[in-house]
Amino acid sequence: MAKKTSDPDRLAFVLLIQGRAKVFKVSREGLVDLLNAEKALEKTGNKKLLSRCQVYTSNFYQIIVSNYSKAMEYALKATRSAEEANSPETTTRALTSLGNIYSGTGDFDNALICYKNAIEENKKIGNSNILTKMENNIGKTNREMGKYPKDIRN
């Protein structure tokens, strides 16, 4: 359908969804789709969708192949794209991904900064699910730092 309409955003979106679906089953194929979607979205200028694509690519590198330097590269790209799109939703996703990478590499101070910044961005959209996830991430990170009791609220 996307090829029939020749809408570059729609084609990129299809590649993004295909890549996301495949990445956990057939990782190499999924990564190829995500990278192709990224190239297409860079051409269309759809920064919001580009940021989502870069977050998924970052997640692939972090979760599937444990390549934290590539994961960080894509999370930083996603953050820039989301900020350029002026999209609190995608900025929140990108900051969460960045925080997860910092946490996974033991850089808990920067993870906390990212999670707290994600909470600030989320205030603009008011998504309670994201708020709950960020509070859980902050609690988990504080536990990893030996500061969990400090974070428990009465």
Side-chain angles (χ1 to χ4, degrees):
M1 182 173 132
K3 288 182 181 180
K4 288 180 184 177
T5 65
S6 70
D7 178 348
D9 273 336
R10 184 168 284 175
L11 177 60
F13 182 73
V14 168
L15 286 170
L16 170 76
I17 297 304
Q18 284 177 339
R20 182 175 174 222
K22 289 179 190 174
V23 83
F24 293 106
K25 294 178 184 172
V26 188
S27 59
R28 198 167 296 245
E29 265 183 56
L31 179 60
V32 169
D33 284 345
L34 289 172
L35 295 175
N36 286 333
E38 181 186 28
K39 287 177 189 174
L41 289 164
E42 286 172 344
K43 290 178 183 175
T44 70
N46 187 333
K47 297 291 185 176
K48 185 175 179 178
L49 202 51
L50 176 61
S51 178
R52 284 180 62 189
C53 179
Q54 291 163 333
V55 165
Y56 297 145
T57 306
S58 175
N59 292 345
F60 167 81
Y61 281 117
Q62 179 188 5
I63 297 165
I64 303 299
V65 295
S66 299
N67 184 335
Y68 287 94
S69 62
K70 282 300 252 188
M72 180 68 74
E73 175 188 333
Y74 274 90
L76 290 169
K77 282 182 174 185
T79 303
R80 279 191 299 275
S81 296
E83 289 171 350
E84 289 173 16
N86 196 25
S87 170
E89 178 191 355
T90 52
T91 302
T92 299
R93 287 178 191 225
L95 288 168
T96 302
S97 183
L98 196 55
N100 291 342
I101 295 163
Y102 281 127
S103 181
T105 58
D107 188 346
F108 301 120
D109 291 327
N110 278 321
L112 287 173
I113 290 168
C114 289
Y115 296 146
K116 289 175 183 177
N117 288 341
I119 287 173
E120 288 304 309
E121 279 297 310
N122 185 58
K123 286 179 182 177
K124 298 173 186 174
I125 55 175
N127 185 324
S128 61
N129 290 332
I130 291 173
L131 178 61
T132 300
K133 287 178 187 177
M134 290 308 95
E135 288 175 342
N136 286 336
N137 286 350
I138 289 170
K140 179 183 172 195
T141 303
N142 280 327
R143 180 179 48 81
E144 293 288 333
M145 297 171 71
K147 298 178 182 177
Y148 185 72
K150 174 184 170 186
D151 206 44
I152 297 175
R153 297 184 185 138
N154 293 330

